[in-house]
Amino acid sequence: MVFKRLMQAMGVGGPSVETVLTNPNCRPGGQLEGRIQVTGGDHQVDIEYVALGLVTRVEVESGDNEYDTTQEFHRQRVTGAFRLERGQQHEIPFRFDVPWETPVTELYGQHLHGMTMGLRTELEVARAVDKSDLDAVAVHPLPAQERLLEALLRLGFRFARADVERGHIYGVRQTLPFYQEIEFYPAPQYGRAINQLEVTFIADPQQTQVVLELDKRGGLFTEGRDAFGRFTVDHATMDRVDWAAQLDGWLRQSLQRRGLFS
Protein backbone atom coordinates (compact mmCIF):
# COMPACT_ATOMS: atom_id res chain seq x y z
CA MET A 1 0.00 0.00 0.00
CA VAL A 2 2.82 2.42 0.85
CA PHE A 3 4.53 1.63 -2.47
CA LYS A 4 1.28 2.20 -4.38
CA ARG A 5 0.79 5.58 -2.72
CA LEU A 6 4.38 6.50 -3.53
CA MET A 7 3.88 5.61 -7.18
CA GLN A 8 0.68 7.66 -7.29
CA ALA A 9 2.49 10.65 -5.78
CA MET A 10 5.08 10.33 -8.56
CA GLY A 11 2.33 10.47 -11.16
CA VAL A 12 2.49 6.81 -12.16
CA GLY A 13 -0.91 5.56 -13.32
CA GLY A 14 -2.33 9.06 -13.05
CA PRO A 15 -4.43 11.06 -15.52
CA SER A 16 -3.30 12.16 -18.97
CA VAL A 17 -4.08 15.37 -20.82
CA GLU A 18 -4.21 16.10 -24.55
CA THR A 19 -5.13 19.37 -26.24
CA VAL A 20 -6.52 19.55 -29.77
CA LEU A 21 -6.59 22.97 -31.46
CA THR A 22 -9.37 23.59 -33.97
CA ASN A 23 -6.89 25.74 -35.90
CA PRO A 24 -3.29 26.42 -34.74
CA ASN A 25 -3.15 29.62 -36.82
CA CYS A 26 -4.05 32.97 -35.27
CA ARG A 27 -3.26 36.68 -35.24
CA PRO A 28 -2.38 39.00 -32.37
CA GLY A 29 -5.59 40.07 -30.66
CA GLY A 30 -7.43 36.97 -31.90
CA GLN A 31 -8.36 33.68 -30.29
CA LEU A 32 -7.33 30.05 -30.29
CA GLU A 33 -10.10 27.50 -29.95
CA GLY A 34 -10.08 23.80 -29.23
CA ARG A 35 -10.77 21.15 -26.64
CA ILE A 36 -8.82 19.53 -23.84
CA GLN A 37 -9.22 15.81 -23.27
CA VAL A 38 -8.46 14.68 -19.71
CA THR A 39 -8.40 10.91 -19.23
CA GLY A 40 -8.39 9.27 -15.81
CA GLY A 41 -5.69 6.79 -14.85
CA ASP A 42 -5.90 3.70 -12.67
CA HIS A 43 -7.08 5.55 -9.58
CA GLN A 44 -9.41 8.40 -8.64
CA VAL A 45 -7.81 11.86 -8.42
CA ASP A 46 -8.84 15.39 -7.50
CA ILE A 47 -7.93 17.92 -10.18
CA GLU A 48 -7.15 21.36 -8.77
CA TYR A 49 -7.50 23.14 -12.12
CA VAL A 50 -6.71 23.02 -15.83
CA ALA A 51 -4.95 26.08 -17.31
CA LEU A 52 -3.59 27.18 -20.67
CA GLY A 53 -0.48 29.31 -21.16
CA LEU A 54 1.10 30.84 -24.25
CA VAL A 55 4.88 30.34 -24.22
CA THR A 56 7.77 31.47 -26.42
CA ARG A 57 11.55 31.42 -26.39
CA VAL A 58 13.09 34.62 -25.02
CA GLU A 59 16.69 35.83 -25.18
CA VAL A 60 17.94 37.24 -21.88
CA GLU A 61 21.00 39.44 -21.38
CA SER A 62 22.54 39.18 -17.92
CA GLY A 63 25.77 41.13 -17.51
CA ASP A 64 28.15 39.85 -20.17
CA ASN A 65 26.16 36.66 -20.70
CA GLU A 66 23.23 35.79 -22.92
CA TYR A 67 20.95 32.79 -22.65
CA ASP A 68 17.60 31.59 -23.95
CA THR A 69 14.67 30.66 -21.75
CA THR A 70 11.09 29.56 -22.32
CA GLN A 71 8.68 32.14 -20.93
CA GLU A 72 4.94 31.94 -20.40
CA PHE A 73 3.45 35.37 -21.12
CA HIS A 74 -0.31 34.83 -21.03
CA ARG A 75 -2.29 32.41 -18.89
CA GLN A 76 -5.93 31.45 -18.68
CA ARG A 77 -7.64 28.96 -16.37
CA VAL A 78 -10.29 26.90 -18.12
CA THR A 79 -11.65 24.92 -15.14
CA GLY A 80 -11.77 24.98 -11.39
CA ALA A 81 -11.49 21.90 -9.20
CA PHE A 82 -13.20 18.62 -10.11
CA ARG A 83 -12.92 14.92 -9.33
CA LEU A 84 -11.74 12.53 -12.07
CA GLU A 85 -12.75 8.91 -11.64
CA ARG A 86 -10.65 5.96 -12.73
CA GLY A 87 -10.62 5.76 -16.54
CA GLN A 88 -13.08 8.66 -16.89
CA GLN A 89 -12.86 10.94 -19.93
CA HIS A 90 -13.49 14.63 -19.33
CA GLU A 91 -13.63 17.02 -22.30
CA ILE A 92 -13.17 20.77 -21.87
CA PRO A 93 -13.87 23.17 -24.78
CA PHE A 94 -11.99 26.49 -24.65
CA ARG A 95 -11.39 29.86 -26.26
CA PHE A 96 -8.00 31.38 -25.49
CA ASP A 97 -7.35 35.10 -26.00
CA VAL A 98 -4.10 35.90 -27.84
CA PRO A 99 -2.50 39.16 -26.58
CA TRP A 100 -2.12 42.00 -29.06
CA GLU A 101 1.65 42.14 -28.48
CA THR A 102 2.19 38.44 -29.25
CA PRO A 103 5.27 37.97 -31.48
CA VAL A 104 4.74 36.93 -35.10
CA THR A 105 6.00 33.51 -36.19
CA GLU A 106 4.85 33.31 -39.85
CA LEU A 107 5.05 35.51 -42.93
CA TYR A 108 3.46 34.62 -46.28
CA GLY A 109 3.16 30.99 -45.25
CA GLN A 110 6.81 30.73 -44.23
CA HIS A 111 8.00 30.21 -40.68
CA LEU A 112 10.24 33.00 -39.37
CA HIS A 113 13.60 31.46 -38.55
CA GLY A 114 14.39 31.81 -34.85
CA MET A 115 10.80 31.87 -33.59
CA THR A 116 8.98 29.32 -31.43
CA MET A 117 5.47 29.60 -30.01
CA GLY A 118 3.32 27.08 -28.19
CA LEU A 119 0.15 26.69 -26.17
CA ARG A 120 0.86 24.74 -22.99
CA THR A 121 -1.86 22.88 -21.12
CA GLU A 122 -1.28 22.39 -17.41
CA LEU A 123 -3.21 19.89 -15.31
CA GLU A 124 -2.72 20.44 -11.57
CA VAL A 125 -3.36 17.24 -9.63
CA ALA A 126 -3.78 17.38 -5.86
CA ARG A 127 -0.81 15.81 -4.05
CA ALA A 128 0.70 14.48 -7.29
CA VAL A 129 3.00 15.35 -10.17
CA ASP A 130 1.57 17.91 -12.63
CA LYS A 131 0.72 16.84 -16.17
CA SER A 132 1.18 19.05 -19.22
CA ASP A 133 0.83 19.14 -23.00
CA LEU A 134 2.42 21.56 -25.51
CA ASP A 135 1.00 22.37 -28.95
CA ALA A 136 2.72 24.48 -31.61
CA VAL A 137 0.97 27.72 -32.56
CA ALA A 138 1.46 29.81 -35.72
CA VAL A 139 1.01 33.57 -35.26
CA HIS A 140 0.43 35.54 -38.47
CA PRO A 141 0.91 39.32 -38.68
CA LEU A 142 -1.90 41.83 -38.37
CA PRO A 143 -2.85 43.52 -41.66
CA ALA A 144 -0.90 46.66 -40.64
CA GLN A 145 2.18 44.61 -39.78
CA GLU A 146 1.87 42.67 -43.01
CA ARG A 147 1.71 45.87 -45.06
CA LEU A 148 4.90 47.21 -43.47
CA LEU A 149 6.80 43.96 -43.89
CA GLU A 150 5.61 43.75 -47.49
CA ALA A 151 6.86 47.31 -48.07
CA LEU A 152 10.33 46.37 -46.82
CA LEU A 153 10.42 43.37 -49.16
CA ARG A 154 9.34 45.62 -52.05
CA LEU A 155 12.26 47.94 -51.25
CA GLY A 156 14.64 44.97 -51.54
CA PHE A 157 15.22 44.03 -47.91
CA ARG A 158 15.65 40.31 -47.27
CA PHE A 159 14.50 38.53 -44.15
CA ALA A 160 17.36 37.26 -41.96
CA ARG A 161 15.90 35.98 -38.69
CA ALA A 162 13.70 36.93 -35.76
CA ASP A 163 14.04 36.67 -32.01
CA VAL A 164 12.38 37.80 -28.80
CA GLU A 165 14.37 39.82 -26.25
CA ARG A 166 13.47 40.37 -22.62
CA GLY A 167 13.10 44.02 -21.64
CA HIS A 168 11.20 47.18 -22.51
CA ILE A 169 11.80 49.71 -25.27
CA TYR A 170 12.23 53.24 -23.95
CA GLY A 171 9.34 55.54 -24.80
CA VAL A 172 7.05 52.77 -26.08
CA ARG A 173 3.82 51.68 -24.42
CA GLN A 174 4.42 47.99 -23.79
CA THR A 175 2.59 45.46 -21.60
CA LEU A 176 4.59 42.26 -22.14
CA PRO A 177 8.03 41.79 -20.51
CA PHE A 178 9.72 41.33 -23.90
CA TYR A 179 9.65 42.51 -27.52
CA GLN A 180 10.26 40.88 -30.88
CA GLU A 181 12.94 41.96 -33.35
CA ILE A 182 12.53 40.95 -37.00
CA GLU A 183 15.90 41.33 -38.69
CA PHE A 184 16.48 42.08 -42.38
CA TYR A 185 19.54 42.17 -44.59
CA PRO A 186 19.80 45.62 -46.23
CA ALA A 187 18.38 46.39 -49.65
CA PRO A 188 21.11 47.04 -52.27
CA GLN A 189 20.53 50.83 -52.27
CA TYR A 190 21.34 50.99 -48.54
CA GLY A 191 23.97 48.26 -48.45
CA ARG A 192 26.94 50.63 -48.20
CA ALA A 193 25.43 52.44 -45.20
CA ILE A 194 23.87 49.76 -42.97
CA ASN A 195 24.51 46.17 -41.95
CA GLN A 196 20.94 45.27 -41.08
CA LEU A 197 17.51 46.64 -40.22
CA GLU A 198 15.53 45.45 -37.18
CA VAL A 199 11.77 45.95 -36.93
CA THR A 200 9.68 45.74 -33.75
CA PHE A 201 5.87 45.87 -33.57
CA ILE A 202 3.94 46.77 -30.40
CA ALA A 203 0.23 46.49 -31.20
CA ASP A 204 -3.06 47.29 -29.47
CA PRO A 205 -6.64 47.22 -30.79
CA GLN A 206 -6.40 50.66 -32.45
CA GLN A 207 -2.81 50.97 -33.65
CA THR A 208 0.62 49.43 -34.01
CA GLN A 209 3.74 51.17 -32.77
CA VAL A 210 6.67 50.48 -35.11
CA VAL A 211 10.29 50.75 -33.99
CA LEU A 212 13.06 50.63 -36.61
CA GLU A 213 16.67 50.10 -35.65
CA LEU A 214 19.50 50.59 -38.15
CA ASP A 215 22.76 48.82 -37.51
CA LYS A 216 25.06 51.23 -39.36
CA ARG A 217 28.31 50.30 -41.02
CA GLY A 218 31.47 51.77 -39.55
CA GLY A 219 33.99 53.55 -41.73
CA LEU A 220 37.77 53.55 -41.63
CA PHE A 221 37.83 56.15 -38.86
CA THR A 222 34.30 55.83 -37.50
CA GLU A 223 32.53 53.29 -35.34
CA GLY A 224 29.27 51.73 -36.50
CA ARG A 225 26.31 52.69 -34.32
CA ASP A 226 22.59 52.10 -34.15
CA ALA A 227 19.95 54.61 -35.21
CA PHE A 228 16.33 54.43 -34.10
CA GLY A 229 13.09 55.53 -35.67
CA ARG A 230 9.59 55.25 -34.25
CA PHE A 231 6.14 55.88 -35.66
CA THR A 232 2.54 54.72 -35.20
CA VAL A 233 0.23 53.04 -37.71
CA ASP A 234 -3.53 53.45 -37.20
CA HIS A 235 -5.28 50.23 -38.15
CA ALA A 236 -8.29 52.11 -39.56
CA THR A 237 -6.28 54.31 -41.99
CA MET A 238 -3.29 52.13 -42.88
CA ASP A 239 -4.50 51.55 -46.48
CA ARG A 240 -4.21 55.27 -47.29
CA VAL A 241 -0.40 55.31 -47.05
CA ASP A 242 2.28 54.19 -49.51
CA TRP A 243 4.41 52.45 -46.90
CA ALA A 244 7.27 51.61 -49.24
CA ALA A 245 7.67 55.33 -50.05
CA GLN A 246 7.29 56.30 -46.38
CA LEU A 247 9.93 53.82 -45.21
CA ASP A 248 12.30 54.73 -48.03
CA GLY A 249 12.00 58.43 -47.16
CA TRP A 250 12.66 57.85 -43.46
CA LEU A 251 15.67 55.61 -44.15
CA ARG A 252 17.24 58.07 -46.59
CA GLN A 253 16.73 61.06 -44.28
CA SER A 254 18.09 59.18 -41.27
CA LEU A 255 21.22 58.09 -43.12
CA GLN A 256 21.76 61.48 -44.81
CA ARG A 257 21.66 63.26 -41.44
CA ARG A 258 24.55 61.06 -40.34
CA GLY A 259 26.49 61.53 -43.54
CA LEU A 260 26.11 57.88 -44.55
CA PHE A 261 23.95 58.38 -47.62
CA SER A 262 24.04 60.83 -50.49
Side-chain angles (χ1 to χ4, degrees):
M1 181 62 70
V2 174
F3 179 73
K4 183 176 180 180
R5 289 177 179 172
L6 176 62
M7 296 297 283
Q8 291 179 3
M10 294 173 61
V12 178
S16 62
V17 58
E18 181 180 4
T19 300
V20 179
L21 290 168
T22 304
N23 186 348
N25 298 281
C26 64
R27 293 182 189 269
Q31 288 186 324
L32 289 165
E33 298 184 11
R35 67 185 189 278
I36 302 167
Q37 185 76 50
V38 182
T39 304
D42 61 12
H43 54 275
Q44 180 192 81
V45 294
D46 290 321
I47 307 297
E48 297 287 347
Y49 63 82
V50 179
L52 294 168
L54 206 53
V55 299
T56 191
R57 186 174 61 210
V58 177
E59 182 178 294
V60 181
E61 291 188 11
S62 178
D64 296 330
N65 299 319
E66 291 185 1
Y67 63 92
D68 291 339
T69 185
T70 299
Q71 180 163 351
E72 179 181 279
F73 61 94
H74 185 59
R75 185 177 179 84
Q76 200 170 298
R77 284 199 182 190
V78 293
T79 73
F82 64 95
R83 176 161 291 179
L84 188 68
E85 302 295 338
R86 175 180 178 181
Q88 179 187 358
Q89 289 196 339
H90 188 70
E91 188 169 280
I92 307 159
F94 68 85
R95 288 185 177 179
F96 183 88
D97 297 323
V98 179
W100 282 94
E101 293 178 23
T102 299
V104 174
T105 68
E106 316 291 317
L107 181 61
Y108 297 121
Q110 299 295 316
H111 182 75
L112 297 185
H113 175 67
M115 290 303 305
T116 60
M117 187 73 60
L119 186 67
R120 181 167 59 197
T121 307
E122 181 182 305
L123 181 71
E124 177 80 11
V125 184
R127 300 179 301 278
V129 177
D130 299 342
K131 303 289 183 177
S132 65
D133 185 32
L134 184 64
D135 295 86
V137 171
V139 185
H140 300 261
L142 292 166
Q145 298 168 344
E146 195 168 63
R147 287 287 302 275
L148 288 164
L149 294 171
E150 180 184 78
L152 288 173
L153 295 176
R154 283 170 51 200
L155 288 172
F157 286 88
R158 293 174 295 118
F159 173 73
R161 66 183 304 275
D163 63 12
V164 177
E165 299 190 11
R166 183 175 292 177
H168 288 78
I169 302 174
Y170 178 77
V172 174
R173 296 188 307 276
Q174 183 182 338
T175 61
L176 294 182
F178 55 69
Y179 55 91
Q180 181 182 35
E181 289 186 336
I182 304 175
E183 301 175 8
F184 289 87
Y185 296 117
Q189 62 268 35
Y190 315 109
R192 296 179 60 185
I194 61 176
N195 287 313
Q196 67 179 18
L197 171 68
E198 296 177 349
V199 182
T200 294
F201 296 123
I202 307 293
D204 64 33
Q206 287 76 40
Q207 60 188 18
T208 294
Q209 298 172 85
V210 184
V211 180
L212 301 178
E213 180 179 353
L214 299 177
D215 181 7
K216 301 185 297 181
R217 291 190 182 278
L220 183 60
F221 302 106
T222 60
E223 180 183 355
R225 295 182 180 177
D226 295 339
F228 292 88
R230 186 183 306 138
F231 58 90
T232 299
V233 180
D234 290 325
H235 296 166
T237 59
M238 65 175 184
D239 290 330
R240 303 175 191 173
V241 178
D242 182 344
W243 290 109
Q246 287 280 93
L247 290 169
D248 180 62
W250 181 85
L251 289 168
R252 290 175 183 273
Q253 289 175 14
S254 178
L255 294 170
Q256 286 171 352
R257 283 197 302 268
R258 294 163 175 82
L260 297 171
F261 201 82
S262 57

